[in-house]
Amino acid sequence: MNFFWSSWITILSLACWAGILGVLLFVLKYKPQVEEDGTTGHNYDGITEYDKPLPKWWLVIFFGSVVWGLGYFIFFPALQPGSWKGISTVEVDGKTLPWTSHNELNSELEKNNDIFLGSFEKDILASANATGATASLAKLNKSQLTLKQSAEPPADLQKQIDEQVVALGPYVAKLSQSPEALKVGSRLFLQNCAVCHGSNAKGATGYPNLTDNDWLYGGNPENILTTLHNGRVGGMPAWRDQIGEDGVRAVSEYVLSLSSSHGDQPGKPSNGDLDKTLVAQGSAIFKQNCVVCHGENAKGMESVGAPNLTDNIWLYGGDRETVRDTLRHGRAGVMPEWETKLGNERIMLLAAYIYSLSSHTGPQVTPPPAEPRDPVPADAPQAAVSTTQS
């Protein structure tokens, strides 16, 4: 807040406080002339006005409110917040800071987080026989704090943090078999992830299905942890300027030939008969331009998030025109990072829930019923382009 508005609010507040106090004192000191019978002489509709003292309980409340207002000016930064910080304080990150609404929020979040962490270690990790994660989490938290507070952190510190995140993978696998952990994880998913992936985790056009065991960056616990911690930025470049419209059509035809999407299958797009000439042309263009990401066998590369083009699982759609549009204009997918929003412990629970949804060994968790989203089927095919997936 700039100086003008800060001063304006301060003057207005003090003026109201002084005005109310002045009116009250004036009323208490004012003594009207009264008649011999104790009345003021005012009479209206048979009602005669007396000069009686104000009730003491009312005066106590009124003066108490005035004193409370003065105390508010002293305890909180109500007078020129840029200069007067008040005498009230809160604890944030182990430091005593002046009260502000922002600091109070952070203080309350820390208190609630301490309660959660106690329950996480005592109940959830213990029930999953994963108490060994406590030491790993402590090490990770320390490294992250060093990175946050250091003006010039060690060059390899981020690499160490990534390795410590991966080391939590075995504990996530154990948590994925714990009903207590999955219960919390499912709630975290609904609160934070369902807006994109759907309440049933089956995704939609442009958002991956998390229940089918098809992963762009890998579906092991350590891969899911890395995705949640750091996020993903996927990119399928536009190719029309490089290979032309004819090249786009040829490569699209070749890509369709790699999967079974050109056949008639229930729930899958039918693209009719393929043009063998275009398939041959597209194969040559593909080998010149696309194998660096998708590989010689077109089965993709988890290291760069390039999808498998042979499994008939599409993120944006597997019909001929959609594939062409992908090649013409490219695709860009972003999976946000959740490390700063949820913290390491909640990410472990969320990763355990996501891991439990796909076809791994261990108990399978039935996602909540799907909410209406759009006309795309809940089990819509997934990606044929580089994009993000947990």
Side-chain angles (χ1 to χ4, degrees):
M1 185 182 296
N2 59 35
F3 178 78
F4 171 80
W5 287 111
S6 179
S7 301
W8 173 253
I9 293 174
T10 297
I11 293 171
L12 208 60
S13 299
L14 287 174
C16 290
W17 180 84
I20 292 172
L21 179 61
V23 169
L24 179 60
L25 293 176
F26 173 78
V27 170
L28 288 176
K29 291 183 177 181
Y30 177 71
K31 299 296 181 181
Q33 294 182 350
V34 296
E35 304 293 336
E36 294 181 356
D37 58 358
T39 65
T40 62
H42 296 162
N43 187 294
Y44 179 79
D45 198 20
I47 300 175
T48 302
E49 180 184 2
Y50 284 84
D51 180 29
K52 299 291 185 180
L54 293 171
K56 290 185 179 180
W57 63 266
W58 188 87
L59 289 173
V60 169
I61 293 176
F62 210 118
F63 276 113
S65 298
V66 172
V67 172
W68 180 89
L70 181 61
Y72 192 95
F73 291 141
I74 297 172
F75 275 87
F76 298 100
L79 300 175
Q80 286 292 338
S83 303
W84 174 250
K85 302 297 183 181
I87 63 176
S88 182
T89 59
V90 292
E91 295 290 328
V92 180
D93 288 334
K95 300 177 181 179
T96 301
L97 301 177
W99 182 96
T100 65
S101 57
H102 184 266
N103 288 342
E104 183 182 38
L105 173 62
N106 288 334
S107 179
E108 292 298 321
L109 288 175
E110 283 187 6
K111 292 176 183 178
N112 292 334
N113 194 53
D114 290 340
I115 295 173
F116 165 77
L117 293 180
S119 175
F120 177 77
E121 295 177 4
K122 180 180 178 182
D123 302 324
I124 298 177
L125 289 181
S127 67
N129 193 26
T131 52
T134 303
S136 299
L137 283 168
K139 186 176 180 181
L140 176 59
N141 288 327
K142 183 178 179 181
S143 298
Q144 290 171 335
L145 184 61
T146 301
L147 181 64
K148 179 181 178 181
Q149 295 179 344
S150 300
E152 296 182 2
D156 63 339
L157 183 56
Q158 184 58 57
K159 181 180 179 181
Q160 295 176 20
I161 291 175
D162 293 338
E163 292 173 351
Q164 292 163 5
V165 168
V166 169
L168 293 172
Y171 302 109
V172 168
K174 290 184 177 182
L175 289 172
S176 70
Q177 302 183 45
S178 167
E180 291 82 2
L182 295 182
K183 183 177 180 180
V184 179
S186 66
R187 292 177 179 175
L188 287 170
F189 183 89
L190 290 173
Q191 292 168 359
N192 300 281
C193 311
V195 66
C196 289
H197 295 281
S199 59
N200 61 357
K202 290 185 178 293
T205 301
Y207 300 99
N209 181 349
L210 304 180
T211 68
D212 62 359
N213 204 32
D214 185 80
W215 304 84
L216 293 176
Y217 295 93
N220 293 326
E222 56 269 23
N223 302 126
I224 300 173
L225 280 171
T226 300
T227 294
L228 290 171
H229 272 272
N230 302 330
R232 302 287 188 182
V233 178
M236 166 69 182
W239 285 98
R240 183 168 61 180
D241 291 343
Q242 288 89 338
I243 63 178
E245 181 62 26
D246 291 340
V248 166
R249 292 175 178 273
V251 174
S252 299
E253 206 74 3
Y254 174 69
V255 168
L256 292 174
S257 74
L258 296 174
S259 67
S260 55
S261 61
H262 56 279
D264 293 328
Q265 298 181 50
K268 301 294 182 180
S270 176
N271 291 296
D273 295 332
L274 297 174
D275 187 322
K276 294 182 180 180
T277 302
L278 288 178
V279 170
Q281 295 173 357
S283 175
I285 298 173
F286 185 92
K287 291 177 181 178
Q288 292 174 358
N289 300 279
C290 310
V291 295
V292 66
C293 289
H294 295 281
E296 291 283 350
N297 58 4
K299 290 188 178 294
M301 294 183 184
E302 290 183 355
S303 59
V304 295
N308 182 351
L309 303 179
T310 68
D311 58 6
N312 199 25
I313 297 178
W314 309 85
L315 188 58
Y316 294 94
D319 61 278
R320 181 177 277 105
E321 191 53 43
T322 298
V323 176
R324 289 176 177 176
D325 198 51
T326 294
L327 283 163
R328 288 189 191 105
H329 307 296
R331 301 286 186 181
V334 177
M335 164 73 182
E337 62 84 17
W338 291 97
E339 183 177 283
T340 57
K341 302 175 183 69
L342 295 180
N344 301 319
E345 294 78 11
R346 289 177 177 84
I347 284 181
M348 285 187 68
L349 295 171
L350 183 55
Y353 175 73
I354 294 172
Y355 182 68
S356 73
L357 295 176
S358 55
S359 55
H360 301 285
T361 57
Q364 297 298 302
V365 177
T366 302
E371 296 177 355
R373 291 172 62 87
D374 52 45
V376 179
D379 58 351
Q382 286 189 12
V385 295
S386 296
T387 185
T388 55
Q389 184 165 345
S390 298

